[in-house]
Amino acid sequence: DDRVGRRLFPHGHKRIRGTSLGPSPIQGFRQSMATKPLSLHPTGGYKRAILAEGPPVSSVRVVGLIGGIASGKSTVAQLMRERGARVIDADRLGHAAYVPGSQGFKELIAEFGEGILEHNLPTPNGSFGKSTLIDRSKLRALIFGPGGEENRRRLEAIVWPRIRAEIERQIAEACAMGGDSPEVVVIEAAKLLEAGWSELCDEVWTVTVADDIASERLLDRDPHLAEEDVASRIQAAKSALAESSESAVVLELDNSGSVSDLRSQVGAIWESRFGSGGKW
């Protein structure tokens, strides 16, 4: 429909790299919601269109939230949730691929073998055999060990498409709900840029933290980590974030201070972007 998207939310934004989304759940709403059709925002994000001859309808603003390991993305996501945002946790969505019996589970076993299963089931001879649960620590060892780069690509080829499909479904759901107030949807995903999910977003927020603080946080989580493992994980995350400078809209939050400092930063940026009521 040529009318769709002529007046798409003239709010301050810039184009984010990538606009080809391919088939998505949102496209399926076009026929069922003929009076309120959906369209792609010029940035590539999903938006509810404004018809040229009609009044504005409810819209969705999609924010990508990225950051290095132990940077505090989840804390920022929670602070945004408290302000009314709907938060999509990509890492949590990825867990669905590990559910025993699921298609993702079967593909992971076929790709990496039964060696990635936990060994916690007692056998008749008193030893322990494989369970039906994937041991994610074994997958991490494959990714950070010898041949890690290739293993990482193999893992991502199985998990990432499933995560994206669910992200698209949830954004489509938010668009379909309608209502008078615009909604902010946050995609919390460390791999947002690498996976190409930034094309689903209107803007990207990056959470940064000093390396020494990230190291302390990692060791607090897992005191058994070797120093070289900590360093490699931090460096791997920083390499991925190096692409963030190429994103058209990147707002940085420094989480090297206190939670109170972070809350103030989130509040200031939120109100500058969306207003005190979550509107823009």
Side-chain angles (χ1 to χ4, degrees):
D1 190 338
D2 291 337
R3 299 171 300 170
V4 176
R6 287 180 184 170
R7 294 169 52 211
L8 285 171
F9 304 96
H11 317 297
H13 67 267
K14 300 178 183 177
R15 182 177 297 275
I16 286 181
R17 179 169 50 83
T19 56
S20 176
L21 302 182
S24 68
I26 221 165
Q27 295 170 346
F29 281 93
R30 284 188 176 276
Q31 294 181 344
S32 62
M33 301 181 68
T35 59
K36 295 181 179 179
L38 297 167
S39 176
L40 296 181
H41 190 274
T43 62
Y46 288 135
K47 309 294 289 186
R48 183 180 291 278
I50 297 177
L51 296 181
E53 70 280 10
V57 294
S58 178
S59 58
V60 173
R61 188 80 166 182
V62 182
V63 176
L65 182 61
I66 63 176
I69 192 168
S71 62
K73 292 185 298 299
S74 295
T75 302
V76 173
Q78 178 57 34
L79 293 173
M80 296 178 76
R81 183 183 285 110
E82 291 173 4
R83 287 180 169 269
R86 175 191 294 224
V87 177
I88 301 173
D89 185 339
D91 187 56
R92 186 179 297 276
L93 297 183
H95 293 177
Y98 304 99
V99 174
S102 68
Q103 186 59 35
F105 176 91
K106 294 175 183 176
E107 291 184 20
L108 287 169
I109 298 301
E111 186 68 32
F112 296 102
E114 292 187 355
I116 63 173
L117 294 174
E118 292 181 351
H119 288 71
N120 63 357
L121 294 181
T123 62
N125 62 8
S127 63
F128 287 83
K130 295 181 178 66
S131 76
T132 57
L133 299 176
I134 289 177
D135 188 334
R136 297 187 69 187
S137 67
K138 292 182 178 179
L139 282 176
R140 284 194 295 270
L142 288 174
I143 293 172
F144 291 104
E149 185 65 22
E150 176 60 27
N151 289 333
R152 180 178 65 81
R153 285 194 292 267
R154 292 161 61 197
L155 177 65
E156 291 167 352
I158 295 171
V159 177
W160 280 3
R162 288 172 169 77
I163 295 176
R164 174 162 180 153
E166 180 59 20
I167 290 174
E168 291 182 343
R169 188 195 68 78
Q170 292 195 32
I171 295 175
E173 182 179 79
C175 288
M177 288 180 67
D180 297 328
S181 299
E183 182 171 3
V184 177
V185 175
V186 177
I187 305 173
E188 180 191 349
K191 299 290 188 178
L192 185 93
L193 301 175
E194 287 183 86
W197 303 331
S198 62
E199 65 189 13
L200 306 179
C201 306
D202 295 298
E203 59 192 66
V204 177
W205 294 18
T206 305
V207 187
T208 63
V209 66
D211 286 356
D212 59 334
I213 296 178
S215 296
E216 290 178 10
R217 292 175 180 171
L218 279 177
L219 289 172
D220 284 342
R221 294 179 189 174
D222 188 351
H224 302 293
L225 278 176
E227 289 186 10
E228 56 269 24
D229 290 335
V230 171
S232 67
R233 294 186 185 189
I234 292 175
Q235 187 54 48
K238 288 176 67 176
S239 296
L241 285 176
E243 294 184 48
S244 65
S245 61
E246 299 177 17
S247 295
V249 182
V250 177
L251 301 172
E252 290 196 359
L253 300 95
D254 182 8
N255 190 23
S256 298
S258 66
V259 174
S260 178
D261 292 336
L262 186 62
R263 184 184 297 275
S264 296
Q265 290 184 70
V266 171
I269 294 176
W270 178 282
E271 293 189 15
S272 72
R273 303 300 292 175
F274 314 127
S276 59
K279 299 181 180 181
W280 52 87

